[in-house]
Amino acid sequence: MIRLPSGSALHLHNQEAILKYLPSPARPRLLCASALLALLVCQGTATLAATPKDTLVIARGVDDIITLDPAETFEVSTGEIMGNIYDRLVRLDLKDPTKLVADVAKSWTVSPDGRTYAFELRSGLKFPSGNALTAEDVAYSLHRVVVLDKTPAFILTQFGFNKDNVRDRIKPTGPLSLTLETDKPYAPSFFLNCLTANVGAIVDRKLLLSKEQNGDWGYAWLKTHYAGSGPMKLREWRANEIVALERNDGHYGEKPKLARVIYRHVKESATQRLLLEKGDIDVARNLSPQDIAALSVNQDVKLTSAPKATVYYISLNQKNATLAKPEVREAFKWLIDYAAIGDTLIKNIGVNHQNFLPMGLLGASKENPYKLDVEKARALLAKAGVPKGFKVTIDTRTIEPEQGIVEAFQQTARRAGVEIEIIPGDGKQVLTRYRARKHDMFLSPWGVDYWDPHSNADAFARNLDNADDAKFKSLAWRNAWAIPELSKKTDAAVLERDAEKRKAMYEELQAEFRRTSPFIVLYQQIEVAALRSNVDGLQLGPSFDTTYMFKVSKR
């Protein structure tokens, strides 16, 4: 490992890993002959020449990638990868996310009773393996999600699909046609939007059947491999190092202009900025407000930004008896300096937002009632029987702005006698603890899985079974928040087909959530990317899986 002047780390083997994906004539020479000489002469950085015109190199933290199986993945970074390498029946219209565009499906209809959806597929589609993409592949892909029943399967099973009935309710009706039958007449936009999620990704049935082990649907193999048909295809993933994608020349759509896209795992903002300024990368994705400001005056760099349907929150595990006290939950909401965080840590990358529905979705509330009020928090802690405070831990990913926010929270909470121990870790570590309900508190982003308010209401305001072995494990479940009545209200809202009535129901849900929940919603993300001036066509999507690198080009 060598040290950059900023004090952050850059692994030589990480840089060398990138070189093997470049064509031989484009492979630059390392300026330093050895790591020792790099330390002494190059001040800690092995410099790459400008990246090839047909290759996009992106720096971002990708340590949250746990699996590459679309039936299982539920992480931020993997969402973007899935959106680029897997097709689905339909996708969001990036010009207007409330609308859909055809992907593998060329058309679809809904039955008069609102329960049966019939799809017609494009003809002549093929997977990179050479296998034809047919209605059987689509049905198999959706069956697989339901039967494997991994974390994101609820996006499909909420429509009444289960391992016993899914083959009857999702079935091919011809080589290029299939039907999907739901248990209730949901709003068509709700159901179709759910098919844009990663669980709607279409996998190569014949390929996975050849990789099956003991009837596992190819699960063991697909965790680290690829079976899609998207505009890009996976070449390699090396955990905490690199994700390499390459163009799928057999894709039905407009061919990507880039031959390859390489994600480098670089978490530190200062390191990303330095690499971008030197031309060693084309795009930086995890920049601090300070580095964004510095890059805004660099003539070789341009910035792009877009509101993201992502909220950042701190959650309080209700298995902790102290955190389960209503007064403690409320006190913590008064121990956040929202204004200071907004002016510094999330300046230009987020806006104060204290509701689980991000702006842009039906029914999103603009109410932000909380501010830093230590005295009010002290009074609530006294009422809870802990007037002198207590000790508690918080898990967080070692990436900005999360780390800075928890440190700021630590300082303001101390003013009320609450001592917070920060437990840092990489994405996989903190998510594993969180999903096992082993945390006290946790800071995390949450983005919509599909473009409908139920996506977040289902996560934050629904928990019908609080048992450790519950089948449905929402964010409310992860924090052991038992809410049978609020769950019923959430279930009612998703079935309301009148848009204005449904909007009012979500506004009421959010008001109750703000008052009573063990969640402190902090802000809504504005995603910002800095890119070299020769990069064109990068549009940051509204959700995790709608930033399409296959639309990017370089001059």
Side-chain angles (χ1 to χ4, degrees), residues 8 59 80 112 206 241 266 319 345 351 361 365 409 426 438-439 459 505 541-542:
S8 55
E80 183 169 313
K206 290 182 179 178
E241 285 188 42
V266 182
K319 286 194 169 188
L345 297 171
V351 292
L361 287 179
S365 174
F409 181 33
D426 68 21
K438 293 182 178 179
H439 63 294
M505 294 170 81

Side-chain angles (χ1 to χ4, degrees), residues 65-224:
I65 299 178
I66 297 173
T67 173
L68 293 174
D69 188 333
E72 182 178 32
T73 183
F74 214 41
E75 292 73 47
V76 174
S77 300
T78 330
E80 183 169 313
I81 304 300
M82 296 292 111
N84 281 278
I85 65 177
Y86 279 95
D87 285 327
R88 45 213 77 194
L89 287 168
V90 291
R91 289 183 186 257
L92 289 184
D93 184 344
L94 297 189
K95 297 178 182 178
D96 182 357
T98 64
K99 298 178 181 178
L100 297 168
V101 294
D103 194 6
V104 163
K106 68 177 182 180
S107 64
W108 56 90
T109 58
V110 185
S111 64
D113 67 0
R115 290 184 54 200
T116 302
Y117 295 75
F119 291 89
E120 292 292 329
L121 308 186
R122 301 176 189 269
S123 61
L125 301 180
K126 288 185 179 294
F127 292 99
S129 65
N131 295 327
L133 193 162
T134 69
E136 284 194 9
D137 294 285
V138 179
Y140 171 88
S141 302
L142 301 177
H143 295 168
R144 185 175 180 275
V145 171
V146 172
V147 174
L148 288 178
D149 200 21
K150 300 300 178 181
T151 302
F154 72 89
I155 298 172
L156 293 181
T157 59
Q158 64 185 330
F159 297 106
F161 303 123
N162 59 54
K163 63 181 180 180
D164 296 321
N165 68 22
V166 69
R167 289 176 178 81
D168 293 326
R169 291 192 174 180
I170 300 177
K171 57 188 178 183
T173 54
L176 296 176
S177 60
L178 74 156
T179 58
L180 289 76
E181 182 185 351
T182 63
D183 60 340
K184 298 175 184 177
Y186 300 93
S189 61
F190 170 47
F191 178 68
L192 291 168
N193 274 310
C194 285
L195 296 180
T196 71
N198 286 324
V199 290
I202 299 165
V203 299
D204 186 334
R205 182 181 65 91
K206 290 182 179 178
L207 176 60
L208 283 187
L209 286 174
S210 73
K211 303 296 182 181
E212 261 194 13
Q213 298 177 17
N214 301 316
D216 73 344
W217 296 73
Y219 170 71
W221 182 82
L222 196 54
K223 287 177 77 74
T224 56

Side-chain angles (χ1 to χ4, degrees), residues 12-13 80 115 126 164 172-173 204 217 237 248 309 315-316 361 430 451 534:
L12 277 172
H13 71 266
E80 183 169 313
R115 290 184 54 200
K126 288 185 179 294
D164 296 321
T173 54
D204 186 334
W217 296 73
W237 163 47
N248 177 10
S315 64
L316 285 58
L361 287 179
V430 297
W451 202 261
N534 66 327

Side-chain angles (χ1 to χ4, degrees), residues 278-551:
K278 286 181 171 293
D280 292 352
I281 62 171
D282 299 300
V283 183
R285 299 288 295 280
N286 300 123
L287 294 169
S288 69
Q290 295 77 15
D291 287 318
I292 290 172
L295 288 168
S296 68
V297 297
N298 187 324
Q299 294 184 350
D300 295 325
V301 173
K302 55 187 178 182
L303 300 173
T304 184
S305 64
K308 203 83 168 177
T310 301
V311 294
Y312 279 69
Y313 67 89
I314 294 173
S315 64
L316 285 58
N317 191 343
Q318 300 301 278
K319 286 194 169 188
N320 181 311
T322 303
L323 297 179
K325 296 180 178 182
E327 299 87 356
V328 172
R329 295 202 299 257
E330 185 181 355
F332 273 40
K333 294 172 186 178
W334 297 103
L335 285 175
I336 301 287
D337 194 341
Y338 304 91
I341 290 172
D343 290 340
T344 56
L345 297 171
I346 64 166
K347 185 178 181 180
N348 299 323
I349 61 171
V351 292
N352 183 16
H353 188 70
Q354 298 176 7
N355 301 282
F356 66 71
L357 283 184
M359 300 305 299
L361 287 179
L362 177 73
S365 174
K366 297 180 181 179
E367 297 295 321
N368 296 316
Y370 297 103
K371 61 182 180 181
L372 179 63
D373 191 329
V374 177
E375 291 309 310
K376 183 174 286 191
R378 283 183 176 275
L380 287 163
L381 292 174
K383 188 176 179 181
V386 284
K388 294 183 180 180
F390 55 94
K391 293 182 179 180
V392 68
T393 64
I394 185 167
D395 288 73
T396 187
R397 191 177 170 197
T398 52
I399 193 170
E400 295 298 345
E402 288 97 315
Q403 193 159 325
I405 291 172
V406 296
E407 289 170 357
F409 181 33
Q410 184 185 52
Q411 292 174 12
T412 51
R414 188 177 292 128
R415 292 165 61 182
V418 178
E419 293 293 331
I420 299 177
E421 178 189 353
I422 299 172
I423 303 178
D426 68 21
K428 294 183 289 296
Q429 291 169 333
V430 297
L431 282 171
T432 299
R433 280 175 53 84
Y434 185 42
R435 290 170 176 171
R437 308 208 286 189
K438 293 182 178 179
H439 63 294
D440 280 343
M441 297 190 296
F442 184 60
L443 171 63
S444 180
W446 182 263
V448 296
D449 297 308
Y450 45 87
W451 202 261
D452 187 274
H454 187 64
S455 179
N456 276 21
D458 194 29
F460 286 97
R462 187 170 183 269
N463 180 17
L464 291 170
D465 182 358
N466 201 39
D468 285 341
D469 61 351
K471 179 179 176 58
F472 178 66
K473 298 178 179 180
S474 65
L475 296 184
W477 175 89
R478 290 183 193 176
N479 291 282
W481 189 35
I483 42 171
E485 293 306 314
L486 196 63
S487 299
K488 291 178 183 177
K489 293 180 181 179
T490 298
D491 287 342
V494 76
L495 292 174
E496 178 55 60
R497 304 187 76 170
D498 183 291
E500 285 304 310
K501 290 180 181 178
R502 194 175 182 219
K503 177 175 178 287
M505 294 170 81
Y506 285 116
E507 289 170 344
E508 181 183 340
L509 276 172
Q510 289 166 101
E512 183 174 343
F513 178 89
R514 286 193 305 270
R515 289 192 305 269
T516 64
S517 80
F519 293 90
I520 309 166
V521 183
L522 302 166
Y523 72 96
Q524 180 172 344
Q525 182 184 9
I526 299 173
E527 187 176 13
V528 180
L531 47 151
R532 299 291 298 182
S533 58
N534 66 327
V535 176
D536 296 319
L538 176 57
Q539 179 181 353
L540 298 171
S543 60
F544 290 143
D545 53 357
T546 52
T547 296
Y548 297 146
M549 294 303 167
F550 58 82
K551 293 181 176 290

